[in-house]
């Protein structure tokens, strides 16, 4: 059974609420909320829930309560997506699944809703949101056009032993929760980060500087940047325990130009003529 | 104008339920009122004089603009979710 109507063919909108309460909702996300009968929300800030209830619909289902101590996160995400999919059959009209940040960046439950929803014949529309990485780029005035960027999830980096290129800036997500796929409120031992540190040392010198970056999620809060030498990563455990950080590893040096001949061509009008053709 | 609320101390959390709500209200207002947000960031001390039911801990957290301290006061779940993350290594996604 689907809930789409002639006026609105969408059954489930998947949106991101951004990082700073509800202030980074895009216009199209607002339109999705406006059109929805019910909203499933995964966002810990009570201001977001209040805003949706006051502005769009009282029917807001909070998914935060699905997290259980020690539970495999796959089971948690499965329950969340099942609840959303069930909701799509319960109301007359579209529903929205709203998650903090960007709904497709470092997020799992939205993917199962898309996959299973489409298998069930539901129309699922995904809209982009503002991710933590967007905010971090702004916080540190980072432009990936300058030296590129390599981005990994911390546990995945260790599991698949991705090769890091030390000449390319690295952004490593979820260092705080490295080496587990289970949810816990317990704090980390310093030794939790030893394997991760040693892995980084395969590619970077011991005294290489890293930064733990946390973007502000309230308008009156300040984004944070903690500088440390990677040999001291374990000592950052108390900071890593307090919040969600992205580890930024700047390159060890700026890579030199490798192809001087191509540079001449890049700057040449004749070369542009050679590689382009005008449409008639 | 002075914003106030009756004192309702919670011995478990060590917080006043009403003042906790005041912190939420201040942050909520900063999301909808840009002038307020700018005024708060440039002079939090004078803005906080408009609220008389905040605990010392809440006042300090608000003045510091420290994300983690504010998270702990506003909504413990927020921190929990952020630390847990909502992703798995892509090989299992």
């Amino acid at each position: 059974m689907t809930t789409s109507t002639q006026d609105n063919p969408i059954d489930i909108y998947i949106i991101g609420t951004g990082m700073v309460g509800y202030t980074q909702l895009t216009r199209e996300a607002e339109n999705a909320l406006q059109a929805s009968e019910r909203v499933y929300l995964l966002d810990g800030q009570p201001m977001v829930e209040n805003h949706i209830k006051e502005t769009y619909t009282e029917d807001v289902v909070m998914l935060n309560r699905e997290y259980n101590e020690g539970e495999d996160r796959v089971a948690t995400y499965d329950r969340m997506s099942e609840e959303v999919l069930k909701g799509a059959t319960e109301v007359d009209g579209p529903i929205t699944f709203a998650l903090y940040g960007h709904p497709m960046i470092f997020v799992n439950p939205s993917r199962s809703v898309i996959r299973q929803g489409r298998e069930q014949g539901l129309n699922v529309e995904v809209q982009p949101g503002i991710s933590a990485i967007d905010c971090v780029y702004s916080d540190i005035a980072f432009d990936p056009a300058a030296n590129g960027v390599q981005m990994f999830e911390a546990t995945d980096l260790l599991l698949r032993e991705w090769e890091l290129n030390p000449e390319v800036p690295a952004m490593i997500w979820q260092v705080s929760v490295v080496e587990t796929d289970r949810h816990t409120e317990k704090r980390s031992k310093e030794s939790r980060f030893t394997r991760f540190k040693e892995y980084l040392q395969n590619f970077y010198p011991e005294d290489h500087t890293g930064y733990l970056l946390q973007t502000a999620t309230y308008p009156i809060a300040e984004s944070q940047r903690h500088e440390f030498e990677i040999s001291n990563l374990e000592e950052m455990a108390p900071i890593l325990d307090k919040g969600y950080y992205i580890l930024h590893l700047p390159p060890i040096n700026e890579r030199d130009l490798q192809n001087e001949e191509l540079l001449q061509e890049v700057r040449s009008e004749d070369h542009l003529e050679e590689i382009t053709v005008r449409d008639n | 104008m002075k914003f106030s609320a009756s004192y309702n101390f919670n011995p478990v959390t060590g917080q006043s339920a009403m003042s906790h709500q005041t912190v939420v209200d201040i942050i909520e207002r900063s999301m909808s009122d840009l002038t307020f947000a700018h005024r708060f960031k440039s002079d939090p001390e004078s803005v906080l004089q408009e609220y008389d039911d905040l605990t010392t801990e809440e006042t300090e957290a608000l003045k510091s603009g420290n994300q983690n301290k504010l998270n702990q006061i506003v909504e413990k779940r927020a921190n929990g979710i952020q630390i847990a993350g909502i992703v798995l290594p892509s090989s299992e996604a």
Side-chain angles (χ1 to χ4, degrees):
Chain A
M1 175 186 163
T2 66
T3 54
S4 53
T5 63
Q6 278 189 326
D7 292 339
N8 189 329
I10 304 301
D11 297 299
I12 305 174
Y13 291 102
I14 298 180
I15 67 165
T17 56
M19 298 304 295
V20 187
Y22 57 84
T23 64
Q24 293 178 339
L25 280 169
T26 64
R27 186 62 59 83
E28 63 178 354
E30 288 177 334
N31 289 342
L33 290 166
Q34 190 73 54
S36 293
E37 297 292 321
R38 181 183 292 170
V39 174
Y40 288 84
L41 181 62
L42 187 57
D43 190 313
Q45 292 193 9
M47 306 85 184
V48 179
E49 180 185 0
N50 294 345
H51 176 72
I52 292 173
K53 283 182 171 169
E54 284 165 13
T55 316
Y56 304 105
T57 173
E58 280 284 326
D59 194 354
V60 177
V61 179
M62 296 301 296
L63 296 173
N64 305 5
R65 59 187 152 78
E66 299 291 345
Y67 288 101
N68 296 315
E69 178 69 31
E71 185 180 53
D72 181 344
R73 280 188 262 162
V74 175
T76 311
Y77 303 149
D78 282 350
R79 263 200 319 280
M80 287 178 184
S81 32
E82 277 165 23
E83 197 163 344
V84 173
L85 290 163
K86 188 162 157 270
T89 65
E90 290 175 350
V91 295
D92 292 327
I95 62 167
T96 288
F97 183 19
L99 309 97
Y100 70 90
H102 186 299
M104 289 287 106
I105 297 183
F106 283 77
V107 177
N108 273 49
S110 50
R111 292 184 191 280
S112 17
V113 168
I114 294 168
R115 191 182 62 251
Q116 291 180 55
R118 288 177 180 161
E119 281 169 10
Q120 293 173 23
L122 297 169
N123 288 319
V124 183
E125 184 173 293
V126 185
Q127 297 172 349
I130 294 183
S131 160
I133 199 70
D134 297 314
C135 299
V136 160
Y137 284 177
S138 297
D139 290 339
I140 63 169
F142 178 87
D143 185 351
N147 295 298
V149 66
Q150 52 189 335
M151 213 179 291
F152 295 100
E153 199 274 343
T155 305
D156 192 49
L157 182 66
L158 300 179
L159 286 172
R160 293 203 275 176
E161 298 184 347
W162 289 102
E163 299 265 335
L164 290 168
N165 181 339
E167 289 185 314
V168 177
M171 298 284 182
I172 316 289
W173 295 60
Q174 304 202 144
V175 179
S176 301
V177 293
V178 72
E179 294 196 16
T180 187
D181 63 2
R182 289 172 189 273
H183 170 75
T184 185
E185 300 283 334
K186 290 187 282 188
R187 62 185 176 79
S188 297
K189 296 175 183 172
E190 287 194 358
S191 57
R192 176 182 194 158
F193 303 104
T194 302
R195 188 194 328 244
F196 182 73
K197 177 197 75 177
E198 288 172 355
Y199 190 75
L200 295 182
Q201 286 173 334
N202 292 327
F203 307 97
Y204 297 92
E206 289 221 345
D207 62 351
H208 190 64
T209 301
Y211 301 91
L212 292 174
L213 306 175
Q214 184 189 48
T215 197
T217 61
Y218 305 121
I220 58 172
E222 301 291 342
S223 294
Q224 291 185 45
R225 189 182 81 146
H226 299 280
E227 181 178 333
F228 65 101
E229 287 184 4
I230 59 172
S231 56
N232 300 327
L233 178 62
E234 290 111 319
E235 293 169 20
M236 304 305 283
I239 290 172
L240 285 161
D241 266 342
K242 285 192 180 124
Y244 182 84
Y245 291 90
I246 290 176
L247 169 60
H248 173 214
L249 295 165
I252 53 173
N253 54 260
E254 183 131 347
R255 187 173 171 83
D256 291 333
L257 199 62
Q258 307 292 310
N259 191 334
E260 290 284 352
E261 194 181 317
L262 177 59
L263 180 63
Q264 301 307 317
E265 292 183 340
V266 165
R267 291 175 171 167
S268 141
E269 282 185 30
D270 290 346
H271 184 64
L272 179 62
E273 286 301 315
E274 277 175 39
I275 62 173
T276 57
V277 61
R278 193 176 299 280
D279 284 335
N280 292 323
Chain B
M1 180 179 177
K2 200 111 174 163
F3 298 89
S4 66
S6 60
Y7 193 66
N8 180 15
F9 184 73
N10 181 333
V12 177
T13 63
Q15 279 186 328
S16 146
M18 295 307 286
S19 67
H20 164 270
Q21 185 55 46
T22 305
V23 178
V24 173
D25 290 345
I26 290 170
I27 294 175
E28 202 147 33
R29 190 172 167 198
S30 75
M31 290 179 181
S32 60
D33 182 347
L34 204 57
T35 308
F36 176 80
H38 289 316
R39 193 159 65 86
F40 192 100
K41 284 195 95 166
S42 60
D43 189 2
E45 198 118 11
S46 85
V47 173
L48 289 174
Q49 283 174 3
E50 298 166 17
Y51 300 86
D52 65 2
D53 62 335
L54 294 165
T55 64
T56 309
E57 181 198 14
E58 289 163 346
T59 304
E60 288 309 311
L62 284 160
K63 278 200 286 193
S64 72
N66 184 297
Q67 179 69 48
N68 296 328
K69 285 184 185 168
L70 288 169
N71 268 350
Q72 281 170 1
I73 291 168
V74 171
E75 185 53 55
K76 289 189 187 296
R77 285 179 308 175
N79 215 19
I81 288 171
Q82 286 172 346
I83 287 175
I86 47 173
V87 73
L88 294 171
S90 56
S91 54
E92 294 183 29

